Amino acid sequence: MLSRHITDRLRTERTPFYLYDMDLLRRTLESARAASSKHGYKVHYALKANFDPVIVGCIRGYGFGSDCVSGNEVRYSIESGFDPREVAYAGVGKTDEEIEYAIRQGIFAFNCESRQELQVINGIARRLGKVADVAFRLNPDVDPLTHKGVSTGQADSKFGISYKEIDEIAAEAGTLNNIRVTGIHFHIGSQITELRVFEYLCRRANTLFAYFASRGFDLTHINLGGGLGIDYMTPEANPVPDFETYFGIFARHLEIPRNVEVHFELGRSLVGQCGEFISRVQFTKTNAVGKHIALLDGSMTEFIRPALYQAYHSVENLDGAGRPEEEFTIGGNVCESTDTFAKGARLPELRRGDLVSFKSAGAYGASMASRYNMHDLPRAVHYHGENVRG
């Protein structure tokens, strides 16, 4: 990927940092826009995946809306130039202050996750003398066949309104005069590569849409969430996800009136492959059982996915050309045993000072970084054609 072709330029950069291939990002956005617009679908960018201002600005320029899960994300979206009427606000624990801010801004819709949340939004809107647009976030009890840590649509999840409460919520919503129910919303999980899962979602969505229509709700949109996965194993073979197939599934299986808008919330599939996490080998050693260890100047503090989800990221020694391959455990410099990027990774011998690249790090990399051990937050380097900008 990109880092291999500009390694000489990267050697002068202070590590660790995230490298973003802006050309690949633009190709990905063009593909997603073309495939979704063919069916008249609206895409909101899931800001939680990566809120780097250069990346967000690029995405906004392609006409996507914003999908938010916190009040700060709503504020950041609006201050970054997104039209409030294209901001969808989900999240299971919205605070009163966050709700009030979003109501005052006139956002597209709150994706409401509980009966109590509907009551709270109604009360705040009444105090402000406004009517808030909301969508019911329904838990469809669909197994997304992905990592349990990013599964959100099964019956035992904390997310969404239980199907057992639908009758009560449908009845009560009609008595809440300061909310307007404009849609229904689903999100079943993240990093979904078994695309038949989305067919199951369509069936459940069809049933639930028909149910609310039969109860007299005039729904103007349906939000199917996101979840489309990327190729972590062989990223260079599939740098741009198959948006044509993804949106085509919904076009074939979704059965709703033609005048109802269909919305999606894509994050990882838009930005995942454009980013690499670049770190430098500080020390190497061999432990008592003969395992080769390489310790980097980066850690789970800057890039937590391998430690948190045991996530696999393809790794490359950018300075290892011509060296024999060896098997390494690659660890970070945080005082935690879980701070390990890879075990049994085969790559050209790692030496002190080598640059190491972890691929497919554009999503949930920088956005999940912390200052644990008082580390600095990681820098970003953006590559635009022939220009590298830090």
Side-chain angles (χ1 to χ4, degrees):
M1 297 184 83
L2 173 62
S3 60
R4 184 184 314 125
H5 304 290
I6 60 170
T7 302
D8 287 343
R9 302 187 188 189
L10 299 181
R11 287 195 181 98
T12 60
E13 298 285 347
R14 177 172 53 84
T15 51
F17 61 88
Y18 282 90
L19 172 66
Y20 295 117
D21 184 343
M22 300 302 293
D23 294 336
L24 176 55
L25 174 61
R26 284 187 283 270
R27 292 203 307 273
T28 305
L29 296 174
E30 288 166 3
S31 177
R33 183 173 63 180
S36 59
S37 62
K38 179 186 297 185
H39 306 290
Y41 296 158
K42 176 66 180 180
V43 174
H44 300 260
Y45 170 57
L47 198 64
K48 61 183 178 291
N50 191 320
F51 46 80
D52 176 274
V54 177
I55 286 177
V56 170
C58 183
I59 292 171
R60 188 186 65 252
Y62 278 80
F64 297 119
S66 173
D67 164 56
C68 304
V69 294
S70 75
N72 280 345
E73 287 189 357
V74 173
R75 186 181 299 274
Y76 183 78
S77 294
I78 294 170
E79 292 178 352
S80 297
F82 285 96
D83 184 339
R85 292 302 302 168
E86 295 192 342
V87 174
Y89 184 13
V92 295
K94 307 175 185 74
T95 69
D96 291 12
E97 292 79 10
E98 291 172 329
I99 291 169
E100 178 171 338
Y101 174 79
I103 291 174
R104 289 185 182 278
Q105 297 303 310
I107 66 168
F108 170 69
F110 291 89
N111 294 329
C112 291
E113 308 240 6
S114 68
R115 182 179 182 181
Q116 193 170 65
E117 182 183 334
L118 287 169
Q119 296 166 348
V120 169
I121 292 175
N122 182 73
I124 294 173
R126 182 174 60 244
R127 174 169 58 79
L128 296 175
K130 296 181 178 294
V131 175
D133 289 339
V134 305
F136 296 134
R137 177 174 179 174
L138 305 173
N139 187 318
D141 194 18
V142 172
D143 185 350
L145 304 179
T146 187
H147 190 285
K148 64 181 181 179
V150 291
S151 298
T152 60
Q154 292 177 274
D156 61 351
S157 170
K158 73 177 182 180
F159 295 97
I161 295 168
S162 164
Y163 59 84
K164 293 185 176 181
E165 291 187 305
I166 288 177
D167 288 337
E168 296 176 5
I169 284 178
E172 183 175 3
T175 70
L176 303 176
N177 297 324
N178 289 86
I179 64 170
R180 179 170 45 237
V181 180
T182 60
I184 56 175
H185 171 243
F186 305 89
H187 185 72
I188 59 173
S190 186
Q191 185 48 26
I192 299 171
T193 55
E194 294 285 351
L195 297 190
R196 69 182 186 276
V197 166
F198 296 115
E199 296 181 21
Y200 307 152
L201 172 60
C202 285
R203 296 186 194 123
R204 294 291 286 152
N206 292 338
T207 299
L208 289 165
F209 187 94
Y211 167 84
F212 283 103
S214 71
R215 297 292 296 263
F217 287 89
D218 183 20
L219 303 180
T220 60
H221 80 277
I222 182 171
N223 187 328
L224 282 306
L228 177 63
I230 62 174
D231 187 349
Y232 282 102
M233 302 303 294
T234 55
E236 294 183 77
N238 298 289
V240 178
D242 186 357
F243 295 110
E244 285 280 347
T245 297
Y246 173 72
F247 289 117
I249 288 172
F250 294 95
R252 291 193 304 275
H253 295 282
L254 200 60
E255 299 172 358
I256 59 171
R258 295 179 64 86
N259 65 330
V260 174
E261 293 182 350
V262 180
H263 293 237
F264 293 86
E265 303 161 349
L266 299 180
R268 185 194 316 264
S269 59
L270 297 182
V271 299
Q273 297 290 31
C274 77
E276 301 177 59
F277 179 64
I278 309 295
S279 190
R280 198 181 304 272
V281 177
Q282 287 295 102
F283 305 107
T284 63
K285 62 182 179 181
T286 303
N287 66 16
V289 296
K291 300 287 187 182
H292 297 304
I293 310 291
L295 299 168
L296 309 184
D297 62 0
S299 70
M300 60 185 276
T301 299
E302 296 82 23
F303 185 38
I304 198 173
R305 291 195 77 253
L308 182 62
Y309 299 121
Q310 296 74 55
Y312 173 84
H313 286 263
S314 177
V315 58
E316 180 178 359
N317 181 356
L318 298 176
D319 290 307
R323 299 179 196 168
E325 284 195 351
E326 293 186 2
E327 199 168 275
F328 278 87
T329 292
I330 303 175
N333 60 2
V334 157
C335 294
E336 301 283 347
S337 296
T338 53
D339 183 25
T340 301
F341 294 110
K343 293 182 179 180
R346 290 197 62 83
L347 67 173
E349 177 195 4
L350 290 166
R351 300 174 184 170
R352 174 172 165 81
D354 286 351
L355 286 180
V356 175
S357 167
F358 295 92
K359 315 301 181 184
S360 312
Y364 305 104
S367 64
M368 297 182 76
S370 73
R371 294 209 59 205
Y372 184 50
N373 284 191
M374 293 190 70
H375 283 200
D376 292 330
L377 291 174
R379 299 168 51 248
V381 173
H382 306 88
Y383 182 82
H384 304 259
E386 290 300 313
N387 299 313
V388 177
R389 303 174 188 170

